[in-house]
Amino acid sequence: MSTTSPASVAPSPTPAPKPVRRAKQLPDVALALSALATTAASKWQGDELPALLWLTKTDFAAQAAAFASACTAAEAAGDTRTPQAARLKALDTLLDKGLGFVKNYLEEEYENPKAYYPEFGIEKFNKGYRLPKDRTERAAALTKLLAALVKYKFDKKKYGTAFWQPLATEYASLVSASTEAAGSRSGKVSTKVQGEEKVRKALRALIHHLKANYPDSFEARLREYGFQKESY
């Protein structure tokens, strides 16, 4: 019977150390990040901790203030769009319902009613016919529809000019306002995103700055600067 000497037995491999999972030190939500930046900037202003080579205390305070303003502006712009979007959706429903009656007028009057659809702003969509889906195009189509109602003498009917004119006027106004609001909000969101990048960079640097200057008490110092949560 053969025996194996202890020296010939290969040693068991040392298990690889488990990676250290560090909790996120910065919040994901912009408003929470803004609150943290404001707290940290205020604390740093009057603290003995020196400025960074690339970032002064005053500059960081300005970044935090600008980011807070950008967050507020972006939120306000979003709130403004909400009632406009809701009203446009309601108007779309009314327009689609009213269009069915206009189609009926054409069917009652002409053998080939679809031949007149383009003059009324009606276009083919899948297997049916409707006003354009795009709201800017739909607003333009309503102008054509109003003119066609008069041309083909449907303007005095129940779903004639009296029905369509106020809807078309309101729709055009809301589409214009919504487009402007969307552009304004886009600019404000862009400003917020740019500000967020600067603030995150500064806060990460500040964390390392505190750890380097207070190796034995950095956890307490981080809490003083507002980094109070273990995770966000």
Short mmCIF file of all heavy atoms in Angstrom, two decimals, residues 47-90:
data_model
loop_
_atom_site.label_atom_id
_atom_site.label_comp_id
_atom_site.label_asym_id
_atom_site.label_seq_id
_atom_site.Cartn_x
_atom_site.Cartn_y
_atom_site.Cartn_z
N ASP A 47 -15.13 76.22 9.42
CA ASP A 47 -14.33 75.16 10.02
C ASP A 47 -12.84 75.39 9.78
O ASP A 47 -12.44 76.11 8.86
CB ASP A 47 -14.75 73.81 9.42
CG ASP A 47 -14.30 72.63 10.27
OD1 ASP A 47 -13.96 72.85 11.45
OD2 ASP A 47 -14.30 71.50 9.76
N GLU A 48 -12.02 74.74 10.62
CA GLU A 48 -10.57 74.84 10.47
C GLU A 48 -10.04 74.07 9.28
O GLU A 48 -8.91 74.29 8.83
CB GLU A 48 -9.89 74.31 11.74
CG GLU A 48 -10.15 72.83 11.98
CD GLU A 48 -9.45 72.30 13.23
OE1 GLU A 48 -8.85 73.11 13.95
OE2 GLU A 48 -9.53 71.07 13.47
N LEU A 49 -10.84 73.14 8.76
CA LEU A 49 -10.41 72.35 7.61
C LEU A 49 -10.06 73.28 6.45
O LEU A 49 -10.90 74.08 6.02
CB LEU A 49 -11.52 71.38 7.19
CG LEU A 49 -11.18 70.41 6.05
CD1 LEU A 49 -10.17 69.37 6.53
CD2 LEU A 49 -12.44 69.73 5.54
N PRO A 50 -8.84 73.20 5.93
CA PRO A 50 -8.44 74.13 4.86
C PRO A 50 -9.15 73.86 3.55
O PRO A 50 -9.78 72.82 3.35
CB PRO A 50 -6.93 73.88 4.73
CG PRO A 50 -6.75 72.47 5.19
CD PRO A 50 -7.75 72.27 6.30
N ALA A 51 -9.04 74.82 2.65
CA ALA A 51 -9.63 74.68 1.32
C ALA A 51 -8.84 73.67 0.51
O ALA A 51 -7.70 73.32 0.85
CB ALA A 51 -9.64 76.03 0.61
N LEU A 52 -9.43 73.18 -0.54
CA LEU A 52 -8.73 72.30 -1.47
C LEU A 52 -7.94 73.15 -2.46
O LEU A 52 -8.26 74.33 -2.67
CB LEU A 52 -9.73 71.42 -2.23
CG LEU A 52 -10.47 70.38 -1.37
CD1 LEU A 52 -11.70 69.87 -2.11
CD2 LEU A 52 -9.54 69.22 -1.03
N LEU A 53 -6.94 72.57 -3.08
CA LEU A 53 -6.15 73.33 -4.05
C LEU A 53 -6.99 73.82 -5.22
O LEU A 53 -6.78 74.90 -5.75
CB LEU A 53 -4.98 72.47 -4.56
CG LEU A 53 -3.86 72.17 -3.57
CD1 LEU A 53 -2.82 71.24 -4.21
CD2 LEU A 53 -3.19 73.47 -3.11
N TRP A 54 -7.98 73.01 -5.62
CA TRP A 54 -8.78 73.35 -6.79
C TRP A 54 -10.17 73.88 -6.45
O TRP A 54 -10.94 74.23 -7.35
CB TRP A 54 -8.93 72.12 -7.70
CG TRP A 54 -9.58 70.94 -7.02
CD1 TRP A 54 -8.96 69.98 -6.28
CD2 TRP A 54 -10.97 70.62 -7.00
NE1 TRP A 54 -9.87 69.07 -5.80
CE2 TRP A 54 -11.11 69.44 -6.23
CE3 TRP A 54 -12.11 71.20 -7.55
CZ2 TRP A 54 -12.35 68.83 -6.00
CZ3 TRP A 54 -13.34 70.61 -7.33
CH2 TRP A 54 -13.46 69.43 -6.56
N LEU A 55 -10.49 73.94 -5.15
CA LEU A 55 -11.83 74.38 -4.75
C LEU A 55 -11.77 75.13 -3.43
O LEU A 55 -11.38 74.57 -2.41
CB LEU A 55 -12.77 73.18 -4.62
CG LEU A 55 -14.22 73.48 -4.25
CD1 LEU A 55 -14.91 74.25 -5.37
CD2 LEU A 55 -14.99 72.18 -3.97
N THR A 56 -12.17 76.39 -3.45
CA THR A 56 -12.22 77.17 -2.22
C THR A 56 -13.54 76.95 -1.51
O THR A 56 -14.51 76.45 -2.10
CB THR A 56 -12.06 78.68 -2.52
OG1 THR A 56 -13.23 79.13 -3.23
CG2 THR A 56 -10.82 78.95 -3.35
N LYS A 57 -13.58 77.33 -0.26
CA LYS A 57 -14.82 77.19 0.51
C LYS A 57 -15.93 78.07 -0.09
O LYS A 57 -17.09 77.66 -0.16
CB LYS A 57 -14.57 77.58 1.97
CG LYS A 57 -13.54 76.71 2.67
CD LYS A 57 -13.36 77.16 4.12
CE LYS A 57 -12.32 76.31 4.84
NZ LYS A 57 -12.17 76.67 6.26
N THR A 58 -15.54 79.26 -0.51
CA THR A 58 -16.52 80.19 -1.09
C THR A 58 -17.10 79.65 -2.39
O THR A 58 -18.31 79.74 -2.65
CB THR A 58 -15.87 81.56 -1.34
OG1 THR A 58 -15.37 82.08 -0.10
CG2 THR A 58 -16.88 82.54 -1.93
N ASP A 59 -16.23 79.06 -3.22
CA ASP A 59 -16.70 78.51 -4.49
C ASP A 59 -17.66 77.35 -4.27
O ASP A 59 -18.66 77.21 -4.99
CB ASP A 59 -15.51 78.04 -5.34
CG ASP A 59 -14.73 79.21 -5.93
OD1 ASP A 59 -15.28 80.33 -5.95
OD2 ASP A 59 -13.59 79.00 -6.37
N PHE A 60 -17.36 76.51 -3.28
CA PHE A 60 -18.26 75.39 -3.02
C PHE A 60 -19.61 75.87 -2.49
O PHE A 60 -20.66 75.34 -2.85
CB PHE A 60 -17.63 74.41 -2.02
CG PHE A 60 -18.51 73.24 -1.70
CD1 PHE A 60 -19.05 72.45 -2.71
CD2 PHE A 60 -18.84 72.94 -0.38
CE1 PHE A 60 -19.88 71.38 -2.42
CE2 PHE A 60 -19.67 71.87 -0.08
CZ PHE A 60 -20.19 71.09 -1.11
N ALA A 61 -19.58 76.90 -1.65
CA ALA A 61 -20.83 77.46 -1.15
C ALA A 61 -21.67 78.00 -2.30
O ALA A 61 -22.90 77.84 -2.33
CB ALA A 61 -20.54 78.56 -0.13
N ALA A 62 -21.00 78.63 -3.27
CA ALA A 62 -21.71 79.16 -4.44
C ALA A 62 -22.28 78.02 -5.29
O ALA A 62 -23.41 78.12 -5.80
CB ALA A 62 -20.76 80.01 -5.28
N GLN A 63 -21.53 76.94 -5.44
CA GLN A 63 -22.01 75.78 -6.20
C GLN A 63 -23.24 75.18 -5.53
O GLN A 63 -24.23 74.84 -6.20
CB GLN A 63 -20.91 74.72 -6.29
CG GLN A 63 -19.78 75.05 -7.24
CD GLN A 63 -18.75 73.93 -7.30
OE1 GLN A 63 -18.94 72.85 -6.75
NE2 GLN A 63 -17.64 74.20 -7.97
N ALA A 64 -23.19 75.04 -4.21
CA ALA A 64 -24.32 74.46 -3.47
C ALA A 64 -25.56 75.33 -3.61
O ALA A 64 -26.68 74.83 -3.80
CB ALA A 64 -23.94 74.29 -2.00
N ALA A 65 -25.38 76.65 -3.52
CA ALA A 65 -26.52 77.57 -3.63
C ALA A 65 -27.11 77.54 -5.04
O ALA A 65 -28.34 77.53 -5.21
CB ALA A 65 -26.07 78.98 -3.27
N ALA A 66 -26.24 77.51 -6.04
CA ALA A 66 -26.70 77.47 -7.44
C ALA A 66 -27.45 76.17 -7.73
O ALA A 66 -28.47 76.16 -8.42
CB ALA A 66 -25.52 77.63 -8.38
N PHE A 67 -26.95 75.07 -7.18
CA PHE A 67 -27.60 73.78 -7.40
C PHE A 67 -28.97 73.75 -6.73
O PHE A 67 -29.94 73.23 -7.29
CB PHE A 67 -26.71 72.66 -6.86
CG PHE A 67 -27.28 71.28 -7.05
CD1 PHE A 67 -27.72 70.86 -8.30
CD2 PHE A 67 -27.39 70.41 -5.98
CE1 PHE A 67 -28.25 69.58 -8.48
CE2 PHE A 67 -27.91 69.13 -6.15
CZ PHE A 67 -28.35 68.73 -7.40
N ALA A 68 -29.07 74.31 -5.54
CA ALA A 68 -30.36 74.36 -4.84
C ALA A 68 -31.38 75.16 -5.65
O ALA A 68 -32.54 74.77 -5.79
CB ALA A 68 -30.18 74.98 -3.46
N SER A 69 -30.94 76.29 -6.22
CA SER A 69 -31.83 77.11 -7.04
C SER A 69 -32.25 76.38 -8.31
O SER A 69 -33.40 76.45 -8.73
CB SER A 69 -31.12 78.42 -7.42
OG SER A 69 -30.84 79.20 -6.26
N ALA A 70 -31.30 75.65 -8.91
CA ALA A 70 -31.60 74.91 -10.14
C ALA A 70 -32.61 73.80 -9.87
O ALA A 70 -33.49 73.54 -10.69
CB ALA A 70 -30.31 74.33 -10.72
N CYS A 71 -32.49 73.13 -8.73
CA CYS A 71 -33.44 72.08 -8.36
C CYS A 71 -34.85 72.65 -8.21
O CYS A 71 -35.82 72.08 -8.71
CB CYS A 71 -33.01 71.40 -7.06
SG CYS A 71 -31.57 70.32 -7.21
N THR A 72 -34.94 73.79 -7.54
CA THR A 72 -36.24 74.43 -7.33
C THR A 72 -36.85 74.86 -8.66
O THR A 72 -38.05 74.67 -8.90
CB THR A 72 -36.08 75.66 -6.42
OG1 THR A 72 -35.52 75.24 -5.16
CG2 THR A 72 -37.42 76.33 -6.18
N ALA A 73 -36.03 75.44 -9.54
CA ALA A 73 -36.53 75.91 -10.84
C ALA A 73 -37.01 74.76 -11.70
O ALA A 73 -38.04 74.84 -12.37
CB ALA A 73 -35.43 76.69 -11.56
N ALA A 74 -36.26 73.65 -11.70
CA ALA A 74 -36.64 72.49 -12.51
C ALA A 74 -37.95 71.88 -12.01
O ALA A 74 -38.81 71.48 -12.80
CB ALA A 74 -35.53 71.45 -12.49
N GLU A 75 -38.11 71.81 -10.69
CA GLU A 75 -39.34 71.27 -10.12
C GLU A 75 -40.53 72.16 -10.46
O GLU A 75 -41.61 71.68 -10.80
CB GLU A 75 -39.20 71.15 -8.59
CG GLU A 75 -38.25 70.06 -8.14
CD GLU A 75 -38.76 68.67 -8.46
OE1 GLU A 75 -39.98 68.44 -8.33
OE2 GLU A 75 -37.96 67.82 -8.86
N ALA A 76 -40.33 73.47 -10.37
CA ALA A 76 -41.42 74.41 -10.66
C ALA A 76 -41.83 74.33 -12.12
O ALA A 76 -43.02 74.40 -12.45
CB ALA A 76 -40.98 75.84 -10.32
N ALA A 77 -40.85 74.18 -13.02
CA ALA A 77 -41.16 74.07 -14.44
C ALA A 77 -41.96 72.81 -14.73
O ALA A 77 -42.88 72.81 -15.55
CB ALA A 77 -39.87 74.07 -15.26
N GLY A 78 -41.64 71.73 -14.05
CA GLY A 78 -42.39 70.49 -14.22
C GLY A 78 -43.82 70.63 -13.73
O GLY A 78 -44.76 70.12 -14.34
N ASP A 79 -44.01 71.35 -12.61
CA ASP A 79 -45.36 71.55 -12.07
C ASP A 79 -46.22 72.36 -13.03
O ASP A 79 -47.42 72.16 -13.14
CB ASP A 79 -45.27 72.27 -10.72
CG ASP A 79 -44.66 71.38 -9.64
OD1 ASP A 79 -44.64 70.15 -9.84
OD2 ASP A 79 -44.20 71.92 -8.63
N THR A 80 -45.60 73.32 -13.74
CA THR A 80 -46.34 74.17 -14.68
C THR A 80 -46.87 73.36 -15.85
O THR A 80 -47.97 73.59 -16.35
CB THR A 80 -45.43 75.30 -15.20
OG1 THR A 80 -44.98 76.08 -14.09
CG2 THR A 80 -46.19 76.20 -16.17
N ARG A 81 -46.10 72.39 -16.30
CA ARG A 81 -46.50 71.60 -17.46
C ARG A 81 -47.64 70.64 -17.15
O ARG A 81 -48.41 70.27 -18.04
CB ARG A 81 -45.30 70.79 -17.98
CG ARG A 81 -44.21 71.61 -18.62
CD ARG A 81 -43.12 70.72 -19.15
NE ARG A 81 -43.60 69.85 -20.22
CZ ARG A 81 -42.94 68.79 -20.66
NH1 ARG A 81 -41.80 68.45 -20.12
NH2 ARG A 81 -43.42 68.06 -21.64
N THR A 82 -47.78 70.22 -15.90
CA THR A 82 -48.76 69.20 -15.56
C THR A 82 -50.19 69.59 -15.91
O THR A 82 -50.89 68.83 -16.58
CB THR A 82 -48.65 68.85 -14.06
OG1 THR A 82 -47.33 68.37 -13.80
CG2 THR A 82 -49.65 67.78 -13.69
N PRO A 83 -50.71 70.77 -15.50
CA PRO A 83 -52.09 71.12 -15.87
C PRO A 83 -52.26 71.32 -17.37
O PRO A 83 -53.33 71.03 -17.92
CB PRO A 83 -52.34 72.42 -15.09
CG PRO A 83 -51.00 72.94 -14.73
CD PRO A 83 -50.11 71.75 -14.58
N GLN A 84 -51.24 71.83 -18.05
CA GLN A 84 -51.33 72.00 -19.50
C GLN A 84 -51.49 70.65 -20.18
O GLN A 84 -52.32 70.49 -21.08
CB GLN A 84 -50.07 72.70 -20.02
CG GLN A 84 -49.93 74.15 -19.60
CD GLN A 84 -48.61 74.75 -20.05
OE1 GLN A 84 -47.69 74.04 -20.42
NE2 GLN A 84 -48.52 76.07 -20.01
N ALA A 85 -50.68 69.69 -19.76
CA ALA A 85 -50.74 68.36 -20.37
C ALA A 85 -52.09 67.71 -20.12
O ALA A 85 -52.65 67.06 -21.01
CB ALA A 85 -49.62 67.48 -19.81
N ALA A 86 -52.62 67.89 -18.92
CA ALA A 86 -53.93 67.29 -18.59
C ALA A 86 -55.04 67.90 -19.45
O ALA A 86 -55.92 67.19 -19.94
CB ALA A 86 -54.23 67.50 -17.11
N ARG A 87 -54.99 69.21 -19.63
CA ARG A 87 -56.03 69.87 -20.43
C ARG A 87 -55.91 69.49 -21.91
O ARG A 87 -56.93 69.27 -22.58
CB ARG A 87 -55.92 71.39 -20.26
CG ARG A 87 -56.97 72.19 -21.05
CD ARG A 87 -58.38 71.74 -20.73
NE ARG A 87 -59.36 72.46 -21.53
CZ ARG A 87 -60.62 72.07 -21.69
NH1 ARG A 87 -61.05 70.95 -21.11
NH2 ARG A 87 -61.46 72.79 -22.42
N LEU A 88 -54.71 69.39 -22.41
CA LEU A 88 -54.52 68.99 -23.81
C LEU A 88 -55.06 67.57 -24.04
O LEU A 88 -55.66 67.29 -25.08
CB LEU A 88 -53.03 69.05 -24.19
CG LEU A 88 -52.49 70.44 -24.53
CD1 LEU A 88 -50.97 70.41 -24.62
CD2 LEU A 88 -53.09 70.94 -25.85
N LYS A 89 -54.85 66.71 -23.09
CA LYS A 89 -55.36 65.34 -23.20
C LYS A 89 -56.88 65.34 -23.24
O LYS A 89 -57.50 64.61 -24.03
CB LYS A 89 -54.86 64.50 -22.03
CG LYS A 89 -55.22 63.03 -22.12
CD LYS A 89 -54.61 62.24 -20.98
CE LYS A 89 -54.96 60.76 -21.10
NZ LYS A 89 -54.35 59.96 -20.00
N ALA A 90 -57.49 66.18 -22.41
CA ALA A 90 -58.95 66.28 -22.40
C ALA A 90 -59.47 66.85 -23.72
O ALA A 90 -60.48 66.39 -24.26
CB ALA A 90 -59.41 67.15 -21.23
#
